Amino acid sequence: KTYREPIFDVHFNSDETQAASSSWDASMKIHDLTTGKLLTYIEFESHAAYNMRMHPNDLYLITARLDNSLQLWEIDTRSVVRNFVGHTDVISSLQFSPDQTTLLSTSWDGTIRLWDIGTGLMTKKLKGHRGPVLNALFTADGKNIYSAEADRTIRVWVIATGKIVRTLEGHNSEVTSLLFSPDGKMLISHSVDGVTKFWDLNSSKEF
């Protein structure tokens, strides 16, 4: 099966032998990257998956659809096993915590939400943004979150307190993407105007 509309998102499994993808045509596929074989195909009744992530154990898949729904799927059975209810606008990014027990979601509704994967319950809602939250990352120790904002800033949160402890400023357009360097010493950010910036995590200053 081929997609009939543009592809929204692509994500790899833990050993990068499979790729999951979702499309505007309200379908989702998982392919074997060695053979090209289609392993899983899911077609939604409506509302495409704007974002998705395969769980690190490769048994589950999280989808964030354009009706603001957030669902955990068992890949083998292609069935929904958990619903995460709360966001009121488009869910812009997803990430699992380092210990794989918590799901992070960001949204155009201006919130970052943390969810217990086992129960589906929200454990934390981080508010204080001046507009949509477009991306976010856990730090390697799972204690902090860096979030990318439509207000052109990057905010640093302490999860335990739910407080903002630093704000990184320098972009002239909406910040859409964040990435940590492999050694964990640098943050890379990208904005809508095509600018990429590099930040020293110790000083929070731009290189």
Side-chain angles (χ1 to χ4, degrees), residues 109-129:
D109 65 14
T111 66
I112 300 170
R113 300 179 191 235
L114 301 180
W115 311 85
D116 184 307
I117 295 173
T119 65
L121 296 177
M122 182 170 58
T123 59
K124 187 85 69 174
K125 180 164 67 172
L126 304 179
K127 298 185 293 183
H129 311 87

Side-chain angles (χ1 to χ4, degrees), residues 3 7-14 16-23 27-33 37-42 44 49-55 58 60-63 73 75:
Y3 286 119
I7 295 171
F8 275 139
D9 199 11
V10 176
H11 191 255
F12 302 102
N13 69 337
S14 60
E16 299 185 352
T17 60
Q18 299 176 12
S21 56
S22 61
S23 168
S27 68
M28 182 173 63
K29 302 178 177 71
I30 299 176
H31 285 89
D32 184 301
L33 293 178
K37 181 181 178 181
L38 178 64
L39 302 175
T40 302
Y41 176 77
I42 297 172
F44 306 115
Y50 184 68
N51 276 290
M52 48 153 196
R53 284 291 181 274
M54 294 183 76
H55 190 277
D58 297 335
Y60 299 98
L61 181 79
I62 290 279
T63 60
W73 296 74
I75 293 174

Side-chain angles (χ1 to χ4, degrees), residues 43-115:
E43 187 165 5
F44 306 115
E45 292 183 4
S46 62
H47 300 104
Y50 184 68
N51 276 290
M52 48 153 196
R53 284 291 181 274
M54 294 183 76
H55 190 277
N57 68 12
D58 297 335
L59 299 176
Y60 299 98
L61 181 79
I62 290 279
T63 60
R65 294 165 61 190
L66 289 174
D67 59 357
N68 311 327
S69 65
L70 188 56
Q71 296 174 313
L72 178 70
W73 296 74
E74 185 177 29
I75 293 174
D76 284 351
T77 62
R78 295 181 294 174
S79 60
V80 175
V81 295
R82 196 85 70 240
N83 287 285
F84 306 85
V85 180
H87 281 298
T88 59
D89 208 334
V90 173
I91 299 167
S92 50
S93 73
L94 303 167
Q95 195 194 20
F96 293 105
S97 61
D99 66 4
Q100 304 178 15
T101 63
T102 300
L103 172 69
L104 178 157
S105 60
T106 66
S107 172
W108 294 2
D109 65 14
T111 66
I112 300 170
R113 300 179 191 235
L114 301 180
W115 311 85

